[in-house]
């Protein structure tokens, strides 16, 4: 996610990788998705000849219409911008796949509601290789400000779901479950132990909610540490300490999972002990003082 800005020109310039122009038109291959309320404002054939400046002006319109609209923090930085990128080893995506990603992320972050033409003005730009930019104006058509509760967590969770749905690579490879090969005919106690171990494993896994939460805390600490305000470094230190605690909890859970995986089935008969063999002559010789 990028820092919010007052005008769309900055975000669109970043998305295109070149300055916004009043001469250059953007086709449907570049703007792969947008809010449903755009159709009554500009038919498809008109959108095809819009310049990048036209698109920027379109996104800025709510800010001009409602000059008194402010965010919960009382600022006027209404342009929200985020970009998603494929891993280097990911396959190339088609236009419809990029469009699906755009619509799903727009719903996840609270800038779009299916079928609601009174939602935010937003567009999705696919102008650079292996990258999609989502840009929105957070001022709604009635002049109120869009609410985005749990933004980072919802965004991260939807990215994980998209990776699975589109067979894309996750940020870290998931570990195989230590209980994936449990026999089907185990005793119920051993089966329950395996299920609990799998539950804890999923919680502490590299793609699980605990690690995702730790990553979001570290991200917030980094952003706050860059603030010029006096509270920034203090908050960065406090959040860094919380992130370290979460990492310790993750390690503790991994240890519990390992212990559960090593727990023997106490309902099974004990294994037969090997018959002791007499020591060899050489062994007797070595044992003599």
């Amino acid at each position: 996610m990028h820092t919010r800005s007052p005008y769309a020109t900055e975000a669109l310039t970043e998305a295109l990788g070149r300055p916004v122009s009043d001469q250059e038109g953007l086709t449907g291959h570049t703007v792969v998705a947008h809010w449903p309320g755009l159709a009554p404002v500009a038919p498809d054939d008109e959108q095809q000849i819009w310049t990048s400046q036209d698109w920027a002006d379109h996104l800025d319109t709510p800010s001009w219409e409602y000059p008194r609209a402010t965010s919960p923090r009382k600022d006027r930085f209404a342009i929200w911008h985020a970009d998603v990128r494929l891993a280097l080893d990911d396959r190339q995506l088609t236009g419809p796949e990029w469009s699906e990603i755009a619509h799903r992320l727009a719903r996840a972050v609270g800038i779009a509601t299916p079928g609601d033409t009174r939602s935010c003005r937003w567009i999705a730009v696919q102008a650079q290789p292996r990258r999609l930019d989502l840009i929105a104006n957070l001022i709604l058509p009635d002049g109120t400000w869009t609410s985005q509760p749990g933004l980072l967590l919802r965004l991260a969770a939807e990215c994980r779901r998209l990776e699975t749905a589109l067979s894309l690579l996750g940020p870290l490879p998931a570990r195989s479950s230590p209980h994936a090969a449990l026999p089907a005919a185990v005793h119920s106690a051993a089966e329950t132990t395996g299920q609990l171990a799998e539950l804890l494993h999923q919680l502490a896994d590299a793609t699980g909610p605990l690690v995702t939460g730790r990553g979001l805390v570290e991200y917030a600490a980094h952003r706050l540490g860059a603030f010029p305000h006096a509270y920034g470094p203090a908050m960065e230190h406090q959040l860094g300490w919380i992130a370290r605690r979460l990492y310790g909890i993750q390690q503790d859970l991994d240890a519990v999972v390992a212990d559960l995986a090593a727990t023997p089935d106490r309902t099974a008969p004990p294994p037969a002990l090997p018959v002791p063999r007499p020591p060899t002559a050489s062994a007797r010789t070595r044992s003599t003082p």
Side-chain angles (χ1 to χ4, degrees):
M1 282 201 312
H2 300 256
T3 303
R4 287 189 290 111
S5 57
Y7 303 108
T9 301
E10 178 181 340
L12 196 52
T13 296
E14 172 70 21
L16 294 172
R18 57 185 181 274
V20 169
S21 168
D22 60 1
Q23 302 295 321
E24 173 195 23
L26 299 184
T27 68
H29 297 291
T30 303
V31 179
V32 297
H34 52 72
W35 68 301
L38 179 58
V41 176
D44 289 342
D45 55 349
E46 182 180 330
Q47 297 169 26
Q48 294 297 322
I49 60 173
W50 271 15
T51 66
S52 54
Q53 185 62 60
D54 289 332
W55 284 105
D57 292 343
H58 168 73
L59 289 170
D60 283 335
T61 296
S63 300
W64 300 332
E65 292 179 343
Y66 298 98
R68 297 180 181 275
T70 59
S71 76
R73 297 182 178 180
K74 305 304 178 184
D75 64 62
R76 289 276 296 164
F77 297 98
I79 300 301
W80 182 87
H81 177 203
D83 68 80
V84 291
R85 312 183 189 205
L86 297 180
L88 292 178
D89 295 330
D90 268 327
R91 63 183 179 86
Q92 295 289 345
L93 298 182
T94 64
E97 286 175 324
W98 282 120
S99 179
E100 179 185 357
I101 291 173
H103 282 285
R104 287 180 58 169
L105 290 179
R107 291 194 294 270
V109 301
I111 62 175
T113 302
D116 184 6
T117 59
R118 305 292 294 173
S119 59
C120 290
R121 293 192 180 204
W122 64 269
I123 64 172
V125 177
Q126 209 280 297
Q128 301 186 58
R130 313 177 71 80
R131 167 175 170 164
L132 180 81
D133 287 75
L134 199 62
I135 307 172
N137 190 313
L138 297 181
I139 300 176
L140 294 166
D142 61 0
T144 58
W145 203 276
T146 302
S147 174
Q148 294 179 291
L151 175 60
L152 290 174
L153 193 59
R154 293 171 62 182
L155 186 60
E158 187 61 29
C159 285
R160 301 294 82 79
R161 286 190 286 266
L162 282 165
E163 287 158 0
T164 300
L166 298 175
S167 301
L168 301 174
L169 299 177
L172 290 172
R175 298 171 294 179
S176 60
S177 168
H179 299 281
L182 276 176
V186 295
H187 189 272
S188 59
E191 185 175 0
T192 301
T193 300
Q195 291 172 348
L196 291 175
E198 175 62 20
L199 176 65
L200 295 175
H201 166 75
Q202 292 176 5
L203 179 62
D205 190 74
T207 58
L210 189 61
V211 177
T212 299
R214 177 166 60 89
L216 295 177
V217 171
E218 291 173 342
Y219 171 82
H222 175 72
R223 292 294 300 275
L224 284 169
F227 282 8
H229 312 292
Y231 64 80
M235 293 299 294
E236 179 186 22
H237 176 76
Q238 183 177 355
L239 289 176
W241 180 71
I242 293 173
R244 288 192 294 273
R245 289 177 59 197
L246 289 174
Y247 180 68
I249 293 172
Q250 179 194 356
Q251 290 185 312
D252 291 342
L253 286 175
D254 281 334
V256 170
V257 170
D259 289 341
L260 288 175
T263 300
D265 181 5
R266 292 182 172 83
T267 62
L273 295 176
V275 178
R277 297 169 55 188
T280 63
S282 62
R284 287 196 295 270
T285 302
R286 285 195 300 269
S287 64
T288 302

